[in-house]
Amino acid sequence: MEQVTPIEVVGKRVRELRQRRGMSAQNLADRCAEAGFPELKRQVITNLENGRRESISLTELLGLAYALDAPPALLFIPLDGRTLLRISPEIEMGDLQALMWVSGEREPEDRERRQRWREVAAPVNLHRDLWRLFEVIVQSEWLEDQSTVNGYLRSMAKVLDAMIETGITPPAVPADWVEKMRANGWLEHPGEVRTNGQG
């Protein structure tokens, strides 16, 4: 299997996405500047695409991803199923493994490292759980069987409480959902859940 570094992937992927969108390097630089990333000039983009940059800052990576309307992980993970991502001289990962690591979906296999991971990964997991529940509730609200929706709302209440107990301020939730959670006593911290006024 071929091995590539993240910066090599960034150069190739930026060129690929820029060309797919019919943009010149100057067009992309202009779009970056409009979005508040003036340091991403045409020459910087050209050097990156041609492999003349050894590194990229996080700000630059996020700026390019924003300007290209692409998920940031897509810019530095190969995602072709046949290339290993070399994140250091000692560590390489398959593309799916790298994506799962970056997104917080995959824990380390080593027990000691996994425990440390779990100690700090809660905010990522809780936000992901909340978003998934939000999507499934929106999709299931049309069901006549309200017990299904109520089950999801009870699960959401648990996630909201866990976020609060972890020190995270949860995002606003539709008012009618929060009202139902409060009325049924599903929230342990009902006063700390904000509503967005929808419902």
Side-chain angles (χ1 to χ4, degrees):
M1 279 188 135
E2 179 187 5
Q3 295 180 358
V4 293
T5 63
I7 190 68
E8 291 170 329
V9 178
V10 172
K12 291 176 186 174
R13 191 60 49 76
V14 167
R15 173 182 279 142
E16 171 194 319
L17 292 173
R18 176 181 62 73
Q19 290 175 344
R20 183 184 299 175
R21 284 160 175 53
M23 300 168 72
S24 68
Q26 185 60 56
N27 294 145
L28 179 55
D30 293 344
R31 194 159 181 190
C32 289
E34 290 168 11
F37 303 95
E39 67 276 11
L40 289 166
K41 301 187 182 318
R42 182 195 57 77
Q43 190 60 43
V44 169
I45 292 167
T46 301
N47 287 340
L48 185 64
E49 291 181 353
N50 292 329
R52 293 191 297 261
R53 292 274 310 263
E54 293 184 13
S55 64
I56 184 170
S57 74
L58 181 58
T59 300
E60 291 171 328
L61 179 78
L62 295 175
L64 287 166
Y66 187 87
L68 289 165
D69 297 317
L74 180 67
L75 294 188
F76 66 93
I77 299 175
L79 296 173
D80 62 9
R82 62 183 181 278
T83 307
L84 294 174
L85 184 66
R86 192 175 62 247
I87 60 173
S88 80
E90 293 79 27
I91 302 170
E92 60 187 36
M93 296 181 177
D95 52 4
L96 181 59
Q97 181 185 12
L99 179 62
M100 300 296 272
W101 173 58
V102 167
S103 66
E105 300 254 2
R106 185 167 190 257
E107 299 177 339
E109 293 177 12
D110 174 82
R111 181 185 293 183
E112 185 177 328
R113 292 186 66 229
R114 184 169 52 242
Q115 181 59 36
R116 289 194 302 261
W117 176 276
R118 287 178 180 168
E119 290 171 4
V120 297
V124 173
N125 294 329
L126 289 168
H127 278 87
R128 182 184 305 110
D129 292 347
L130 186 67
W131 178 248
R132 287 180 180 156
L133 284 163
F134 188 93
E135 287 184 316
V136 77
I137 292 168
V138 167
Q139 292 171 3
S140 63
E141 278 191 309
W142 60 270
L143 295 174
E144 291 182 24
D145 177 13
Q146 285 300 302
S147 65
T148 301
V149 175
N150 289 343
Y152 292 135
L153 287 172
R154 277 193 297 274
S155 296
M156 179 176 274
K158 289 179 184 176
V159 172
L160 292 167
D161 283 328
M163 291 177 97
I164 292 163
E165 290 163 8
T166 308
I168 300 168
T169 300
V173 177
D176 57 336
W177 298 1
V178 175
E179 184 55 41
K180 186 174 265 192
M181 288 185 247
R182 287 177 178 155
N184 287 289
W186 297 334
L187 287 166
E188 292 181 27
H189 308 281
E192 297 181 51
V193 177
R194 298 176 298 136
T195 66
N196 60 10
Q198 298 174 353

